[in-house]
Amino acid sequence: MNDRADPRDEPLTAAGKRYVVRDHVSVVLVLGLALGAAQTLGWYNAWLYAAVMLAVKAGSAAILVRADPAVLDARGTKHAMSTRERLFFLAYVPSALAMPFVAGLEAGRPGWSHHSTAELAVGLTLAIGGASFIVWALAHNAFFEPTVRLQRDRDHRVCTTGPYRLVRHPGYAGAVVGLFGVPLILGSRWAFVPAAIATVAFVVRTHYEDRMLRAELDGYEGYAGRSRYRLVPFVW
């Protein structure tokens, strides 16, 4: 997920269209989990979070269709997954779905949730900021696929532009930032637990992906020497 090809003029393929549709439908799933757990349709925070997610996904799709539709096509194409990748998704997907569900349980029980306008504002900032960082990475990296693999079939090359000048895995950095915005938007203390589990999954994935790219992708070792930080500038 750390390389780039020049933007392409080809129209969005069926795979890319499937990805865009699936990405938007996921908002309905998250909203359903949250409202179902809360057992009410009147939970303002859940609707607000869904609206933000939908706006971000629609905006990112529009940007990428113009910048490089090949990115959306690649993200809609399935590839064989390694055991490490299966373990990552087994940790990440349930954790991501647990956040709206746990938050809904809290919202439906008086005295469990604690929420303030300041927390909401911080949560929205983190969610939108993290998502924007991911879109920035997608717009620069034509090899930003959902699964970790050396993309020999696509002439995999190193990406050094845009957010890749700051950290080597900006997509993961943005995802982690966004994860911690969700509990704040939904007003849930307990939702930080699955957010932390998902974060650990991303840290582990960053470690093994970086090691694979250093060993197998031409030019990545030199890039890693110039861009020292994997996820957090000046930290790691």
Side-chain angles (χ1 to χ4, degrees):
M1 290 175 61
N2 285 69
D3 292 341
R4 170 193 171 104
D6 293 333
R8 303 169 186 178
D9 296 326
E10 290 81 2
L12 199 61
T13 66
K17 292 175 182 176
R18 283 196 302 270
Y19 171 75
V20 172
V21 171
R22 188 171 65 242
D23 204 32
H24 285 68
V25 169
S26 68
V27 178
V28 179
L29 173 60
V30 169
L31 180 62
L33 281 172
L35 297 178
Q39 298 183 1
T40 178
L41 295 177
W43 185 20
Y44 166 80
N45 298 78
W47 288 101
L48 175 61
Y49 176 54
V52 170
M53 286 182 62
L54 192 61
V56 165
K57 291 177 183 298
S60 65
I63 290 170
L64 293 172
V65 164
R66 283 179 169 272
D68 190 357
V71 176
L72 296 171
D73 297 339
R75 294 187 68 76
T77 303
K78 292 184 179 180
H79 297 280
M81 288 193 293
S82 65
T83 300
R84 290 182 303 189
E85 280 292 270
R86 290 192 182 95
L87 291 174
F88 165 76
F89 284 108
L90 282 173
Y92 170 70
V93 174
S95 299
L97 294 177
M99 286 191 292
F101 184 77
V102 169
L105 291 177
E106 286 195 69
R109 287 158 178 77
W112 280 33
S113 295
H114 305 277
H115 194 267
S116 69
T117 302
E119 288 177 331
L120 178 60
V122 172
L124 288 170
T125 300
L126 292 176
I128 295 172
S132 299
F133 207 61
I134 295 172
V135 175
W136 190 18
L138 283 164
H140 279 265
N141 185 358
F143 303 99
F144 197 142
E145 289 189 358
T147 53
V148 172
R149 69 185 186 98
L150 188 64
Q151 301 171 40
R152 293 187 176 90
D153 55 315
R154 302 183 61 219
D155 190 25
H156 203 163
R157 287 170 285 163
V158 178
C159 178
T160 61
T161 60
Y164 291 89
R165 292 174 295 185
L166 305 176
V167 289
R168 301 202 294 272
H169 301 270
Y172 300 161
V176 169
V177 169
L179 281 171
F180 285 93
V182 178
L184 292 172
I185 294 173
L186 298 178
S188 169
R189 296 293 191 268
W190 283 104
F192 279 109
V193 175
I197 294 172
T199 296
V200 171
F202 271 118
V203 170
V204 172
R205 193 191 210 199
T206 300
H207 173 74
Y208 72 68
E209 180 177 351
D210 206 68
R211 186 170 59 183
M212 181 271 287
L213 292 173
R214 280 177 178 269
E216 301 182 31
L217 182 60
D218 290 342
Y220 190 84
E221 184 68 38
Y223 162 66
R226 297 189 302 273
S227 183
R228 296 174 52 194
Y229 305 103
R230 284 171 280 196
L231 278 182
V232 185
F234 310 110
V235 178
W236 184 73

